[in-house]
Amino acid sequence: GRASAAALGVEQERDGEPYATRMRVSKAYLRIDGGRAEAGADSGFVLLDRKAQTIYSVSPGDKTILVIKPLPITLPRPEDYTLSVERDKEALPQVGGKPVVHYRLLAGQETCAEVYAAAGLLPHVVDALREYHEILAGEQAQSEMHALKAERSPCNLAEFVFAPARHLDHGFPVRQVSHTGHARQLAAHAGRPLKIGSFSAASGTPCSFHEIV
């Protein structure tokens, strides 16, 4: 179906080069790709069939399609495993007329992610991403079943298995930084570019931020 919402983001691994990601959402599908920057015959993409609850990861270069369907999560939670959220009171610029709030997602005493969320922004995209991450959780749980208990990271268990969509609980994450250093930031939505502003996180570390024109 035709896209009812679209968002362009920029992602970056720790010490890596930034790269573009594009999300297009309709009632039937979610498609994630590299946008125009990676257009070409070998450009891969991910497609979620929302009705079938099935993810297709398409790699034209390798001529492969990985199919991921929902799986039951039978992986037991570790003992004394707790998840919590801390909310900062710092004043941040709005995005798309929506207030932005800084949240810290924790597993036990470990900070798993810093999320700057705008409640009410891109709700269709938030819904589709929630479905996407919850489907992936079953596949990830199967992988964790084969890992040694000592090697299981509390944050990875939260992010990929037990609470895969909690970064979406407070609105669209206009900026998100994981405990591994992977950063994701909104660059534009519905054809509306963002202009750069700046702010400091509670830690005092300067961060780039975007505010919609």
Side-chain angles (χ1 to χ4, degrees):
R2 295 182 60 186
S4 61
L8 181 67
V10 177
E11 299 194 33
Q12 187 172 9
E13 306 295 341
R14 188 191 299 274
D15 300 325
E17 293 296 320
Y19 56 94
T21 56
R22 179 178 59 180
M23 294 173 285
R24 290 183 287 176
V25 176
S26 71
K27 290 182 179 180
Y29 299 103
L30 163 67
R31 177 180 168 127
I32 303 173
D33 57 38
R36 294 180 181 178
E38 294 185 7
D42 293 333
S43 179
F45 63 92
V46 173
L47 185 71
L48 165 63
D49 183 330
R50 302 181 70 182
K51 183 177 181 180
Q53 288 290 283
T54 301
I55 297 170
Y56 301 92
S57 180
V58 181
S59 179
D62 297 332
K63 297 182 179 179
T64 60
I65 301 176
L66 175 64
V67 181
I68 302 173
K69 293 179 178 288
L71 294 171
I73 296 176
T74 57
L75 182 71
R77 286 182 177 240
E79 293 183 10
D80 301 323
Y81 186 71
T82 58
L83 302 178
S84 60
V85 180
E86 294 180 352
R87 173 176 174 158
D88 281 351
K89 296 181 179 180
E90 61 188 312
L92 299 173
Q94 292 188 345
V95 169
K98 307 297 184 183
V100 175
V101 178
H102 176 198
Y103 297 92
R104 217 170 265 105
L105 310 184
L106 298 97
Q109 300 300 313
E110 184 177 347
T111 298
C112 300
E114 305 274 354
V115 177
Y116 299 83
L121 182 70
L122 298 172
H124 301 304
V125 178
V126 170
D127 290 344
L129 285 174
R130 183 179 297 278
E131 295 171 23
Y132 171 74
H133 287 292
E134 288 178 349
I135 292 171
L136 285 178
E139 188 77 17
Q140 187 64 35
Q142 294 293 315
S143 297
E144 292 287 350
M145 291 282 283
H146 297 95
L148 297 175
K149 288 185 178 181
E151 296 176 350
R152 293 175 185 165
S153 157
C155 281
N156 283 346
L157 289 175
E159 182 178 352
F160 299 116
V161 180
F162 297 125
R166 68 169 175 161
H167 62 290
L168 303 168
D169 286 348
H170 306 284
F172 187 89
V174 296
R175 179 173 172 81
Q176 178 182 347
V177 183
S178 78
H179 65 290
T180 63
H182 177 263
R184 179 184 296 116
Q185 186 158 304
L186 181 67
H189 77 83
R192 301 177 61 189
L194 309 187
K195 65 181 180 181
I196 295 179
S198 66
F199 69 94
S200 293
S203 63
T205 304
C207 303
S208 63
F209 192 65
H210 295 75
E211 183 176 5
I212 289 179
V213 176

